[in-house]
Structures are given as C-alpha cells and as structure tokens.
Amino acid sequence: MSIFTIFITALVTENVILTKFLGICSFLGTSNKEKNAIGMGISVTFVVLVSTILTYLINKYILIPTNSTYLQTITFILVIACFVQITELVIKRYFKSLYKSLGIYLPLITTNCAVLGIILTNIRSDYNFIESIFNALGSSLGFVLVLYIFALLRDRIEKNNIIKSFKGIPIALITAGIMALIFGRLV
Amino acid sequence: MKKVLNYLFKENPVFVLVLGICSVLAVTTTFEKSYMMGIVVLIILVISNFLVSLIRKIVSEEIRIPVYIIIISTLVTLIEIILNKYSKPLYDAFGIYLPLIVVNCIILGRALAFASKNKVFDSIKDGFKSGIGYLIAISIIGFLRELFGNGTITIMNDISSITGYREIIHVFNNSVIPNKLFLTSGGAFILLGILIGIINGRRGEV
C-alpha cells in the first residue's frame, strides 16, 4: 500500500471513531463545543504521533531483539501514560484557558482507546516507520475531523424536538451511526 | 427477578453509565465473541478489584493511576498469552480489542471509584456485579447483531478447540432479515443508541 492510500484509509474509510469504535468516551463527552473538540483533537494528535514514534523504536530495537513481544501491551500503555502526563503539564503551563475548558478530559487521554488502538494497529499491520507515522497522522486527523463535525451537528440536534428518552447519548449514537454509514461509502 | 431487572435497567455499566462501549460495539459481530469478551472482562474486573483493594493502603494518591494501569495490563497480558496458546481463532477474532481491555473505562473506573476505598471482599463483589452487568449487555447486543445481521447465532465455534463442542444455529434465511447493515459499524451505533433510548424510557416504570 502506498503512503497516500494508508493516510486516506485511516482518515476516512477506517476512521478510528466511526469504524473502529475507538475513543468514543471523549467523543460523547467533549464534543458539544467546537473549541473543545479541536483542543481535544490536537492533544490526541500530539500524543498519538509522539507515542507512535517512541513505541515503534521500542518495539523494533528492544522488544523484538529480546524476544519479549508479549510485553507490548504493558510497554505501550506506560509510554502513553508518561506522555499524557507531560502534555498535561505543558498545556497547564502555557495554555491556561484551554486547560480550563478541557478540564478532566486530559487525564482521560491515557485511557482513550484511540491512542493505544492506533499504536497497536501500526504494530499489528507491520507498518514500517514512515507508514506508521502516516497511519498515525491520518487516524488522529480523522479523529479530529469526526469530533469537529459531530460538535457542529450536536449543537443543532440539541435545539430540535427529540423524544425525551432519546435525548443526549442515544441520539448521539444514532447520529454517529448514520455518519459511519456515510463515511464507509465515501471512497 | 425484579431485583435483577432493576439492576439491568438502573445500574448497568453499558446501558446506563455508557462506559466501555468501544468493545461493546467492536467485537459484537457474533454472539460467541460477545459473551467471551464479557467473560474475559468479568474475570479481569474481579481480579483487578481484588488486587487494587489488597494494596489500597500502600499506594498513595499521586501514583494510583499508573499502578492500577500496570496491574490491569499485566492481567490483560496474561489473558492474551493464554488465549494465544489455547484458542488461536478467538485471539485472532478479537484482534486489537483484546489488548484494548486495558483502557476499558469500566475496569479502571471501578478500581478508582470503589476498590481503592473498600474492603477486599466488598471489592470482589463489586467487580462481579459490574462484570455481570457488562456481560449481559454485551451478550444482548451481540445476540441481536448476529441474529439480524447474519441470521445465525453462534453458540460455540472459535473456542471449540478447548471445549470440543460446536454449534451454530441458523434462524433466518430469507431476503429481508439477514441484513448486513447490522454487522457494519453504523448499524452497531444505531442499535446501541436505540437500545439505550428504550432503556432510558423504561427506567421510570421498573
């Protein structure tokens, strides 16, 4: 597969949220404001990119030579956890207003399945270094894209007259389902 | 019976709290995969609650989350090794969603909210309760998705190398009902949305 194909596939047809169901917690949680969606998306992209590079190197030069690939899950989650901590510190120090609005969602990136999921996909599909980076970039941009579109949609959905029991999460899931059907047919 | 229904409607981690729905949506294309995922999560939840509660007095507030994540990922790694050895088809069918149990919100959530503050026996009970709720929810969704998407119900197929028993029930086979929509990701979202909506509406009555 060419790099471009990998990128587009990760961005649209194999979208992390809509096809692989990763990162739905933050998808349902943060995305009622466009600004939060972008903030969350950028933090996720940053964490995904850096931890992709780190895990690729760790996997290739430490885990595979020492024949301990069974440690992948633990190693990767530790790398992500450390990196999220650092990102949180940076945002807290330099982007106060963003920190206020994202609030509790930042620590949740550690347990955001999207990050670990993208990294595991890279390793399991045997992507080389460049392919891994493009897959990580495409996937996390796809995450931002869907988060942003959904924030816009949700704004309008909430103004409409919906059956009471379907308000909030149920209608959000149904909307996501329709988006998933559309995204799956785009290419 | 009323108590069970009450629990299913009012406290279910999936339908009411909407936690850990990544795996609920991803692996539920067959009934077997769904309940196996439920069982795996149940086992990990009980053991991790037990361990977390056991060490709750040694672990300080600041390092709680990393310690719990290491405990959970160790358990997940053990399950991965066991499944890889004894049931390769199931291991392959789960794919990346098996290691992703590490970031299942229910497990870390119960560890932080309950097991880190309560006695060992109560924590095991709590883990069991949440795990059963998850197992029931994921089984229901898997059952419906396979039934309407493929017209079959797989009781046992991937794990038959361990149990020596294989059973796939064919239910529908006409041109309308097995609709591939339910097997796509969009169908999963819509089905879960409708189920949660219905349960929301029913909650007042039970």
Side-chain angles (χ1 to χ4, degrees):
Chain A
M1 260 201 291
S2 74
I3 296 166
F4 185 70
T5 327
I6 289 176
F7 182 77
I8 292 296
T9 313
L11 183 69
V12 184
T13 34
E14 291 278 311
N15 188 285
V16 260
I17 296 181
L18 298 177
T19 321
K20 294 184 178 163
F21 312 107
L22 304 172
I24 299 179
C25 294
S26 43
F27 172 64
L28 294 173
T30 44
S31 53
N32 39 12
K33 282 193 192 129
E34 297 105 77
K35 210 178 136 215
N36 284 3
I38 295 285
M40 183 77 191
I42 291 171
S43 345
V44 168
T45 311
F46 179 64
V47 173
V48 166
L49 265 184
V50 179
S51 32
T52 299
I53 296 171
L54 289 175
T55 49
Y56 181 83
L57 295 175
I58 290 173
N59 189 49
K60 189 162 182 198
Y61 294 107
I62 299 175
L63 293 184
I64 293 177
T66 55
N67 207 7
S68 43
T69 42
Y70 63 90
L71 285 176
Q72 275 171 351
T73 315
I74 299 183
T75 321
F76 296 170
I77 193 76
L78 281 180
V79 170
I80 297 167
C82 294
F83 220 82
V84 170
Q85 209 77 39
I86 294 169
T87 318
E88 199 186 339
L89 286 178
V90 171
I91 292 185
K92 203 173 180 178
R93 175 85 175 74
Y94 297 105
F95 307 96
K96 280 241 165 63
S97 59
L98 189 66
Y99 184 75
K100 261 184 206 155
S101 60
L102 286 179
I104 56 160
Y105 290 108
L106 265 174
L108 287 181
I109 296 184
T110 312
T111 53
N112 185 328
C113 351
V115 182
L116 186 62
I118 295 168
I119 290 167
L120 285 169
T121 317
N122 281 334
I123 302 287
R124 295 260 166 121
S125 336
D126 281 325
Y127 286 151
N128 64 31
F129 189 64
I130 300 294
E131 285 168 344
S132 295
I133 287 184
F134 271 88
N135 184 42
L137 202 62
S139 304
S140 38
L141 287 180
F143 183 78
V144 185
L145 182 71
V146 172
L147 219 56
Y148 185 72
I149 297 177
F150 195 68
L152 294 175
L153 282 177
R154 207 166 191 190
D155 216 34
R156 306 198 59 166
I157 291 169
E158 271 165 17
K159 283 176 195 142
N160 280 321
N161 193 10
I162 309 161
I163 311 170
K164 199 169 147 247
S165 54
F166 274 81
K167 271 198 176 124
I169 286 167
I171 194 73
L173 285 170
I174 293 172
T175 319
I178 295 167
M179 275 170 79
L181 294 177
I182 298 170
F183 266 63
R185 287 270 171 251
L186 272 187
V187 172
Chain B
M1 189 62 199
K2 185 147 191 217
K3 214 174 155 191
V4 175
L5 270 182
N6 206 24
Y7 171 68
L8 185 65
F9 284 122
K10 283 192 177 150
E11 289 172 58
N12 191 288
V14 176
F15 290 143
V16 179
L17 307 170
V18 202
L19 289 174
I21 56 174
C22 296
S23 50
V24 167
L25 293 167
V27 300
T28 46
T29 44
T30 71
F31 181 56
E32 183 197 27
K33 265 172 25 185
S34 318
Y35 75 73
M36 279 313 289
M37 181 55 105
I39 292 171
V40 168
V41 170
L42 173 67
I43 293 170
I44 293 175
L45 194 53
V46 171
I47 302 178
S48 86
N49 261 13
F50 167 67
L51 292 174
V52 164
S53 168
L54 214 55
I55 59 163
R56 71 185 184 280
K57 288 195 182 112
I58 323 168
V59 181
S60 68
E61 187 80 18
E62 296 83 31
I63 54 161
R64 272 196 330 181
I65 295 179
V67 170
Y68 297 167
I69 288 179
I70 292 174
I71 291 176
I72 298 167
S73 51
T74 310
L75 294 172
V76 172
T77 306
L78 287 176
I79 298 267
E80 270 185 85
I81 295 170
I82 293 168
L83 276 188
N84 194 9
K85 183 153 184 352
Y86 293 104
S87 180
K88 192 81 175 127
L90 191 67
Y91 177 82
D92 292 335
F94 280 157
I96 61 166
Y97 297 99
L98 191 60
L100 279 176
I101 296 176
V102 176
V103 287
N104 188 318
C105 321
I106 299 175
I107 299 175
L108 191 64
R110 286 334 285 171
L112 284 170
F114 195 91
S116 60
K117 293 171 198 135
N118 287 285
K119 291 208 181 85
V120 175
F121 184 69
D122 292 337
S123 303
I124 294 177
K125 231 165 67 183
D126 176 77
F128 197 72
K129 217 171 110 189
S130 305
I132 291 286
Y134 178 83
L135 174 62
I136 291 172
I138 197 172
S139 307
I140 291 175
I141 295 167
F143 183 84
L144 292 176
R145 272 185 84 187
E146 195 188 352
L147 184 65
F148 293 125
N150 213 11
T152 58
I153 296 163
T154 314
I155 306 289
M156 220 167 257
N157 184 28
D158 285 341
I159 53 164
S160 49
S161 58
I162 310 175
T163 55
Y165 175 78
R166 186 184 296 266
E167 175 92 60
I168 301 174
I169 302 171
H170 292 268
V171 185
F172 301 116
N173 199 12
N174 52 47
S175 55
V176 188
I177 279 291
N179 192 326
K180 289 278 176 282
L181 171 74
F182 287 94
L183 294 180
T184 63
S185 55
F189 274 117
I190 294 173
L191 185 71
L192 183 64
I194 292 174
L195 277 179
I196 293 178
I198 293 172
I199 287 177
N200 270 348
R202 289 257 146 184
R203 212 182 305 159
E205 298 168 25
V206 176

